[in-house]
Amino acid sequence: MLDLAAWHAEPLDQGEAETRLARLGTATAWTERLEALRLRLMLGLPATMQREVLMAEADDDLQRAAVELITGQVMLARRMKGAWDWLDAAEKRLAHRLPGPGYLALLRRHAMLRTLPLFDQPKAMRPLKELLAIAAATARLEGMKRPDYAGDQRDTLG
């Protein structure tokens, strides 16, 4: 089974991702189909139908969490809005199923990435190390913002 505490969205060269996807072809094993979903998401190919089929055919909540986690991680690596919907759903499914240290590592990574700016249009995939650096810089910048007093009833000068 897939390590659900790990990061599964490190960027691949487009040619390598396409080659891997072609090799999988019409995969029948669930884990191979999950890998095909990951590659399709990375390449920006339509993946909704594959994801829905995997969710419907999942044997348990761990498999469903794997689909949600991979979808959310790839979306996050591409800095797409909606990533947290998938990641939050995976966190809930894994709360009592993933061993403590793995679940805590997952929560810690997600907490560090929460400030990552997300966009409507996908961006180029970034490695986790870069995403964490962008999120940390964003958090520092947000902490430096001056409070907005517009509309504050206590503001007697504005």
Side-chain angles (χ1 to χ4, degrees):
M1 181 63 183
L2 187 70
D3 179 3
L4 296 174
W7 180 256
H8 300 281
E10 285 300 320
L12 293 174
D13 173 61
Q14 183 173 345
E16 182 181 348
E18 289 171 346
T19 301
R20 285 186 188 186
L21 185 58
R23 256 190 260 133
L24 288 171
T26 55
T28 55
W30 196 88
T31 54
E32 290 175 343
R33 291 173 34 226
L34 183 63
E35 175 64 4
L37 172 69
R38 183 179 80 92
L39 294 168
R40 290 183 70 79
L41 290 166
M42 286 182 162
L43 292 166
L45 299 173
T48 303
M49 184 173 63
Q50 288 83 357
R51 183 174 40 243
E52 289 174 357
V53 169
L54 282 171
M55 289 295 280
E57 293 180 357
D59 291 332
D60 55 28
D61 271 349
L62 286 177
Q63 286 186 338
R64 282 184 274 285
V67 173
E68 293 165 341
L69 198 63
I70 283 178
T71 299
Q73 286 182 356
V74 173
M75 287 179 72
L76 203 59
R78 298 183 80 203
R79 294 184 287 156
M80 294 174 63
K81 286 184 179 176
W84 288 112
D85 296 337
W86 293 101
L87 293 170
D88 290 342
E91 276 183 19
K92 286 178 187 169
R93 285 189 202 277
L94 294 172
H96 300 289
R97 291 173 182 83
L98 194 61
Y103 187 66
L104 290 176
L106 179 81
L107 291 178
R108 204 172 301 121
R109 182 174 54 242
H110 287 181
M112 290 187 289
L113 290 168
R114 287 278 172 186
T115 58
L116 188 68
L118 302 179
F119 305 92
D120 292 325
Q121 296 299 314
K123 304 293 181 191
M125 285 192 68
R126 297 282 183 101
L128 178 59
K129 186 176 180 177
E130 286 183 29
L131 296 172
L132 290 168
I134 293 167
T138 302
R140 280 192 303 275
L141 289 172
E142 286 179 353
M144 293 171 34
K145 284 184 182 174
R146 289 181 38 191
D148 181 14
Y149 293 108
D152 186 341
Q153 299 303 317
R154 297 172 295 168
D155 182 9
T156 59
L157 302 175

